[in-house]
Amino acid sequence: MTAFDTFVAVDWSGGNDTGAKPRKDAIWAGVVRSGTPQDPVYLRNRIEAEAWIANLIQAELAARRRVLIGFDFPFGYPTGFAEALTGQVDPFGVWDWFEARIRDTPKANNRFDLAGEINLGLGDGIGPFWANGLPNRDIPGLPRTKADYGNPFPDKRRSESHAKGAFTCWQMAGAGAVGSQTFMGLPVLSRLRKRFAGQVSVWPFEPLDTPVAFLEIWPSLTVTSAPEDMIKDAWQVTEVARQISALAPDVLTTMLDVTPSEEGWIFGLGFEDQLNAAPPLRNDCFALPPGVHWTPVEEALSMLRERMVAVTGTQKVPLGSALGRIVSQDVIARRANPPLPNTAVDGYGFAGARGAGKYVLPLSEGRAAAGDAPGLVPAGHAIRILTGAALPAGVDTVVLQEDVKLLDGAVHFNGPIKQGANTRKAGEDVAEGQVIAQAGRQVTAADLALMAATGLSVLTVHKPLRVGVISTGDEIVQTGEIAGAGQIFDANRPMLLALIGQFGHVPVDLGHVGDDRSLLRAKLDGAKGVVDAIVTSGGASAGDEDHVSGLLEEAGALSLWRIAVKPGRPLALGMWQGMPIFGLPGNPVAAMVCTLIFARPALAVMAGQSWLSPLGFDVPAAFEKRKKPGRREYLRARVRDGRVEVFASEGSGRISGLSWAEGLVELPDAGIHVQPGDLVRFIPYGSFGV
């Protein structure tokens, strides 16, 4: 029995009350009920949090809903600790032991004192816990640093050794101090388990055959970043609850199939790809606010940015195959760069600074070159050292070889020279553990160099976004066919397929459909499971033969965005069986401009990438143009002799202007009279990635 109705994720805290105003490093809860995410809940202290959880359980039981609640701290300790502490190999014995001894108020608790008591009570008085977080009071038995402690147990649980970046439960203070969260969380779970006896089961220690289940989660396992305007903890718990709620019952059953152990286990470990499988877009994600008729460009872009989400899952790829892929989580340096202090020049190394004057240092045997590991250089001696070589022990300063003379086995040079001269510190470029690429970044060749230098060999990336392209209209014929009177060759589909490929997505040619709504419906139905999104050209307005917008309207998922833009205006946006549809105008110029301005950044977010804003430059105009207020205009343009010129015609059917141009001039929504020499914004095609 694994089907649940409500999913809750709780980010715990071992610290004191965090105040009335929501903030990070507090207790946050995310709730998804019947598939619908709720607003994250801020809980300022553990007393308030315990009451909130108890009330939630009561409400879910009363409504006959099964609820699964995840907490982000260990449910058990490494093998051997439970028996040493309580005399029995039973994780619940540890829960009861802590419940009986932890004293907790919103402003103070005894977790550090209790950790010291445990350390002193184990064997020879040296125990596993370390890091006293009280700055003004030493605690007997609890060392301030890991260097001063002794641990008779494994440093990490088996699950933590498999979870990259997981912290040890023995650490009581400082960044990643899960130890304090465990001390202050287990008593709460123990009380809740007793309060709802017979209705709560704990994974993986017990079968989940009760209305309420507790399990251990680690939000950073699958959620590493958050929107700029959200507190990360609040975002993470909501995302984790959503991820678990989106799992199919059989997948959830498989993920819960773990052999019980006194150590417990982190839910989802080894199943990160399944948890990261992105949600579908909402059917109403393109809906315009009531009363909106003409939408300014900035508002349209803002709505797309706000509503788009990643719809692709993730996969691990070798570093050599990661070029152009989108990293799905922050990339962390596994090694410092440089990994060791080294020399920036060819020269001679020794220890310490030298003041003004002449110096003679005996030359040690051998040399230090890149990859060498020479022994200790005695004090007062020098060694030959080559660019890039790690500094041998006893060397922290290098004098340039051009500034020395070698006579009778000794180095002669003049001071002064500062200590550390001509050397590089370990990690001065990148420190171990530093974020070197944020989630949502498209990997470049330069990124590959940095990642390789810092020890990365595998990246977790989003699966490529598959974008289908359909052209519509009876007037369209394919290249190689005979075009009759009134017919035109299909220029849009090859252009759109090429643009999508240049954006880094997988273009899928879904062909051409004439003005036949039933055939178009069949084409869209057949694309389900083949592509993640569809781009169409033509049929996007509100006429009798505009079948793209007509079908979306029939499905109840049409939003006809009349955007105040030239060229372009109508965009038919909607959903078809979970697939987003971008219905572009049929004129090639308008189709390309709308693709670059609107579809490109939206598709990027769906692919897991960060929102893309093109980089423009102010360039003197080589043209004159009067523009009325009310809409933004994009002119095909190119730069010659430091001035930007525009194509002679603004007609949307003049395809030659797209090829002639090297970018777009963007004119603002307001009225403007551009005269030669005035600065205008020029956006090169390269800024759109094409």
Side-chain angles (χ1 to χ4, degrees):
M1 182 165 99
T2 57
F4 293 91
D5 306 294
T6 303
F7 298 83
V8 182
V10 181
D11 183 281
W12 203 247
S13 172
N16 295 331
D17 187 287
T18 49
K21 184 177 180 180
R23 48 161 285 186
K24 63 178 183 178
D25 300 326
I27 300 175
W28 285 92
V31 180
V32 174
R33 185 175 288 109
S34 301
T36 303
Q38 314 294 309
D39 290 336
V41 179
Y42 170 67
L43 301 162
R44 59 186 291 176
N45 57 58
R46 284 174 296 280
I47 289 82
E48 182 178 305
E50 184 174 346
W52 180 87
I53 295 167
N55 290 336
L56 178 137
I57 292 174
Q58 287 179 328
E60 297 303 304
L61 291 174
R64 299 184 178 276
R65 290 190 292 260
R66 291 195 75 212
V67 57
L68 185 150
I69 309 177
F71 298 86
D72 75 329
F73 53 81
F75 282 12
Y77 281 91
T79 301
F81 179 75
E83 185 173 14
L85 185 71
T86 67
Q88 54 184 336
V89 184
D90 179 8
F92 295 127
V94 177
W95 291 27
D96 295 341
W97 193 96
F98 276 107
E99 182 194 351
R101 291 164 177 80
I102 281 290
R103 298 187 301 276
D104 190 13
T105 69
K107 293 298 183 182
N109 62 74
N110 67 332
R111 67 187 190 276
F112 297 119
D113 295 282
L114 189 59
E117 291 175 17
I118 295 173
N119 281 350
L120 292 173
L122 290 174
D124 56 3
I126 299 177
F129 297 104
W130 57 276
N132 173 12
L134 302 178
N136 301 318
R137 178 164 69 90
D138 290 335
I139 294 178
L142 183 62
R144 290 196 176 273
T145 68
K146 188 176 182 180
D148 301 322
Y149 92 133
N151 189 355
F153 310 106
D155 192 49
K156 289 185 175 182
R157 300 179 299 158
R158 190 166 64 91
S159 60
E160 287 154 357
S161 66
H162 291 288
K164 183 180 176 182
F167 291 90
T168 171
C169 54
W170 307 122
Q171 182 183 347
M172 296 297 297
V178 222
S180 280
Q181 292 177 247
T182 309
F183 267 52
M184 307 312 298
L186 292 182
V188 173
L189 296 190
S190 182
R191 285 191 293 271
L192 290 170
R193 182 169 175 262
K194 293 172 182 175
R195 178 173 177 176
F196 297 99
Q199 296 175 305
V200 172
S201 51
V202 180
W203 179 85
F205 310 128
E206 300 173 317
L208 300 187
D209 53 5
T210 56
V212 182
F214 291 169
L215 53 74
E216 177 188 338
I217 59 172
W218 183 34
S220 294
L221 185 69
T222 55
V223 185
T224 57
S225 59
E228 294 179 0
D229 59 345
M230 278 197 73
I231 294 172
K232 184 177 180 181
D233 296 340
W235 171 258
Q236 282 190 318
V237 291
T238 304
E239 274 296 285
V240 168
R242 182 202 59 74
Q243 288 177 339
I244 302 175
S245 72
L247 295 171
D250 60 328
V251 175
L252 179 59
T253 299
T254 300
M255 294 172 68
L256 291 170
D257 186 14
V258 172
T259 303
S261 156
E262 66 175 283
E263 292 188 337
W265 193 257
I266 299 170
F267 174 78
L269 190 60
F271 295 94
E272 291 86 346
D273 287 351
Q274 286 93 324
L275 285 168
N276 269 319
L281 289 168
R282 304 186 315 270
N283 275 341
D284 63 349
C285 67
F286 294 120
L288 290 172
V292 171
H293 299 290
W294 286 98
T295 307
V297 169
E298 287 307 319
E299 287 187 21
L301 292 174
S302 178
M303 284 189 285
L304 285 173
R305 183 172 187 171
E306 177 184 311
R307 299 173 186 184
M308 294 297 97
V309 297
V311 299
T312 56
T314 63
Q315 61 183 159
K316 295 183 184 297
V317 299
L319 196 64
S321 302
L323 181 65
R325 303 296 294 274
I326 312 300
V327 293
S328 62
Q329 58 191 39
D330 290 350
V331 180
I332 310 297
R334 299 182 62 186
R335 190 186 196 209
N337 184 50
L340 296 170
N342 65 73
T343 176
V345 299
D346 291 340
Y348 295 85
F350 48 87
R354 298 293 188 276
K358 297 184 177 181
Y359 297 90
V360 178
L361 301 180
L363 190 60
S364 293
E365 292 185 3
R367 68 173 191 174
D372 288 348
L376 174 69
V377 176
H381 286 62
I383 188 173
R384 173 68 168 152
I385 190 165
L386 303 180
T387 301
L391 299 182
V395 172
D396 60 19
T397 304
V398 176
V399 61
L400 286 164
Q401 66 178 18
E402 295 89 341
D403 295 336
V404 307
K405 291 183 179 179
L406 296 179
L407 296 172
D408 301 324
V411 176
H412 298 246
F413 63 93
N414 293 324
I417 185 169
K418 294 180 180 179
Q419 185 176 22
N422 300 311
T423 65
R424 307 183 185 104
K425 297 178 181 178
E428 71 174 29
D429 178 26
V430 176
E432 181 181 352
Q434 180 178 334
V435 175
I436 56 174
Q438 292 186 331
R441 180 176 176 86
Q442 188 173 35
V443 178
T444 66
D447 292 333
L448 293 176
L450 178 59
M451 293 169 184
T454 52
L456 276 299
S457 60
V458 175
L459 292 182
T460 302
V461 298
H462 282 276
K463 294 178 181 178
L465 184 74
R466 303 164 301 173
V467 183
V469 176
I470 302 173
S471 56
T472 68
D474 284 344
E475 75 280 13
I476 300 296
V477 296
Q478 306 309 304
T479 55
E481 298 178 356
I482 297 175
Q487 291 185 311
I488 57 175
F489 289 112
D490 192 347
N492 282 343
R493 202 164 86 250
M495 175 184 71
L496 295 172
L497 288 166
L499 287 173
I500 288 163
Q502 288 182 301
F503 295 160
H505 313 312
V506 177
V508 179
D509 189 352
L510 297 178
H512 163 257
V513 179
D515 292 324
D516 187 315
R517 192 165 297 192
S518 61
L519 291 179
L520 180 58
R521 180 185 290 107
K523 181 75 72 173
L524 295 177
D525 288 342
K528 183 175 176 59
V530 177
V531 298
D532 305 301
I534 294 177
V535 174
T536 68
S537 63
S541 191
D544 293 342
E545 299 298 335
D546 289 313
H547 297 294
V548 173
S549 54
L551 273 180
L552 293 175
E553 188 171 26
E554 285 180 16
L558 169 70
S559 188
L560 194 61
W561 287 22
R562 294 177 175 85
I563 301 176
V565 63
K566 178 184 177 182
R569 295 191 186 180
L571 278 181
L573 302 176
M575 302 291 293
W576 188 269
Q577 298 188 21
M579 293 180 295
I581 308 289
F582 293 82
L584 302 174
N587 286 323
V589 176
M592 180 168 176
V593 169
C594 287
T595 299
L596 297 180
I597 303 300
F598 303 107
R600 173 182 176 255
L603 292 172
V605 175
M606 292 169 58
Q609 195 170 5
S610 302
W611 180 266
L612 300 176
S613 297
L615 181 63
F617 306 91
D618 289 339
V619 182
F623 63 92
E624 181 177 3
K625 161 79 174 176
R626 289 182 182 272
K627 175 194 163 299
K628 295 180 180 180
R631 61 181 178 178
R632 188 168 302 185
E633 293 191 16
Y634 292 92
L635 309 177
R636 286 149 285 174
R638 65 186 185 186
V639 175
R640 292 292 183 271
D641 299 324
R643 294 159 69 88
V644 61
E645 55 188 38
V646 297
F647 191 60
S649 171
E650 296 180 15
S652 291
R654 298 290 293 272
I655 304 175
S656 61
L658 293 174
S659 178
W660 172 91
E662 296 167 352
L664 301 173
V665 161
E666 181 184 61
L667 299 181
D669 300 355
I672 189 174
H673 180 194
V674 178
Q675 299 187 58
D678 291 347
L679 293 178
V680 294
R681 185 171 188 247
F682 174 68
I683 309 174
Y685 282 155
S687 288
F688 295 107
V690 300

